[in-house]
Amino acid sequence: MCAATLVLGSALTNDAVGIKSFLQTSLSPHLKSLPALCLLIIFVVWAAIQTNLSSNMVTATLVATIATSIITSTTMSLNLNATICLIGMMASFAFATPPSMPHIAIAAGSDYCSTKDVLIYGSALMMGLAFTVSISSGMTPIAHVFPILAMNAANITVSPIAYMGMAIPVGLITFLLMILMFRIFVKIPENKLNKVDVSILKKQVQIFHSG
């Protein structure tokens, strides 16, 4: 499964196949007219979905190539560097399907969980990481490149103390809202985790350390 995914990913990004150029010519006329925020959401969601069906590197390369082509050919106020960073971040969150990563395929094929379990817990992990990383990246102006890029794009100058005085409370409140959302809407079946028999795994770990 992993080998097939890598072969498919190589085909998707191969210039001789022409998929990248086809997507650029077919999608550009439709996406150029969209608002900047909608376009950003499309690229981020696209990367999040494709990374679970192909390799991380293939996803980042393909989506970033299309995004660069569309953003640089328009005058929209969408920062290219920040967009590429978001695409790369989402491309690394591959946990929801067996083709996403080798260890996910191994987990789905074991007796500990099914493909449905991987989809449920993996999707929840993806959303949690996306929210947490986004929140933590924006709480201080030196936490990540995103705040600085955003302020430069908007031509805003704010002192670090004033920025943190606003961003840290907003980040903490958003984090609490995220936890509340997971508890109410996502409804992860925690009781199933408590019933998992890990005795075999413990024996294997003991054998590994003793050997």
Side-chain angles (χ1 to χ4, degrees), residues 78-93:
L78 187 60
N79 190 285
L80 178 60
N81 296 328
T83 303
I84 299 302
C85 287
L86 287 172
I87 292 172
M89 181 185 75
M90 294 307 300
S92 63
F93 295 161

Side-chain angles (χ1 to χ4, degrees), residues 68-133:
T68 302
S69 174
I70 293 175
I71 294 174
T72 54
S73 62
T74 61
T75 57
M76 64 177 60
S77 58
L78 187 60
N79 190 285
L80 178 60
N81 296 328
T83 303
I84 299 302
C85 287
L86 287 172
I87 292 172
M89 181 185 75
M90 294 307 300
S92 63
F93 295 161
F95 312 111
T97 61
S100 60
M101 294 288 282
H103 59 273
I104 303 298
I106 294 172
S110 67
D111 296 330
Y112 295 102
C113 61
S114 63
T115 304
K116 181 180 178 181
D117 295 330
V118 170
L119 180 61
I120 294 174
Y121 294 109
S123 300
L125 183 59
M126 282 183 61
M127 289 188 292
L129 277 174
F131 275 109
T132 304
V133 171

Side-chain angles (χ1 to χ4, degrees), residues 10-64:
S10 300
L12 287 173
T13 55
N14 194 324
D15 292 330
V17 177
I19 293 180
K20 287 195 298 184
S21 58
F22 169 76
L23 290 175
Q24 287 175 340
T25 54
S26 59
L27 293 179
S28 294
H30 303 286
L31 297 180
K32 285 180 180 179
S33 59
L34 293 176
L37 182 59
C38 292
L39 191 62
L40 179 63
I41 293 174
I42 289 174
F43 287 133
V44 169
V45 174
W46 178 4
I49 294 175
Q50 184 181 328
T51 192
N52 285 283
L53 303 175
S54 64
S55 70
N56 302 356
M57 191 175 298
V58 168
T59 299
T61 303
L62 182 63
V63 181

